[in-house]
Amino acid sequence: MTAMKATGGHTKEREVQERFHQLANWAENEMELKPDSTTALRGADAAAHARAMFEAAGVDAGELARLIGGRPSLDPNAAPGAHSPKLNVRVPEPVSEALAAQARTLGLTTSALARRILTEWLNSRPQETNRIA
């Protein structure tokens, strides 16, 4: 049983998520740090310190990653909190519009359709090194 379910289920989880987002918004947009501060952690150092604090408090890393949110990894075998690689591609407007229209027709997002197209194309290539599960 996870800590959240033991203390009230989905309502408590939503409250925790809402509070997290409020604090994150404050930290990202309103909190002012001295530019020359030697004690304030930023970026990856701040994230690592926060994770260490949660883990020291007994919060499971997988549960923490789930509560913090973000998109789940596309890899079902990925470690908790792992992110899928992101690919940004510029295309001509007609290609973008055609992709969006086809995605709507299929009931998919443009990202899901692009993943499908790339996977099918790579799997159709004769080289064995291109095979994707």
Side-chain angles (χ1 to χ4, degrees):
M1 182 180 312
T2 66
M4 287 298 115
K5 289 183 181 170
T7 58
H10 296 294
T11 301
K12 183 68 173 176
E13 183 175 321
R14 276 193 288 272
E15 290 173 10
V16 169
Q17 286 179 342
E18 176 60 28
R19 182 69 176 142
F20 170 82
H21 290 294
Q22 288 172 350
L23 290 171
N25 185 54
W26 171 78
E28 292 172 4
N29 300 305
E30 298 171 27
M31 182 176 71
E32 293 183 22
L33 297 175
K34 295 179 182 177
D36 58 348
S37 173
T38 59
T39 59
L41 297 175
R42 293 174 174 84
D45 291 336
H49 182 71
R51 282 189 176 80
M53 287 185 349
F54 279 110
E55 288 172 3
V59 177
D60 176 67
E63 180 76 358
L64 178 61
R66 190 182 66 73
L67 288 173
I68 289 173
R71 294 190 164 91
S73 176
L74 297 170
D75 181 356
N77 299 318
H83 297 282
S84 298
K86 186 175 178 181
L87 179 65
N88 292 319
V89 180
R90 291 184 179 271
V91 297
E93 189 69 28
V95 173
S96 177
E97 290 171 357
L99 183 67
Q102 187 64 35
R104 279 191 302 276
T105 298
L106 296 172
L108 299 171
T109 64
T110 54
S111 293
L113 180 55
R115 281 190 294 273
R116 180 186 287 181
I117 291 167
L118 286 169
T119 302
E120 289 176 3
W121 184 84
L122 286 169
N123 285 340
S124 72
R125 310 307 302 161
Q127 299 88 356
E128 284 299 314
T129 57
N130 291 335
R131 297 286 177 226
I132 300 174

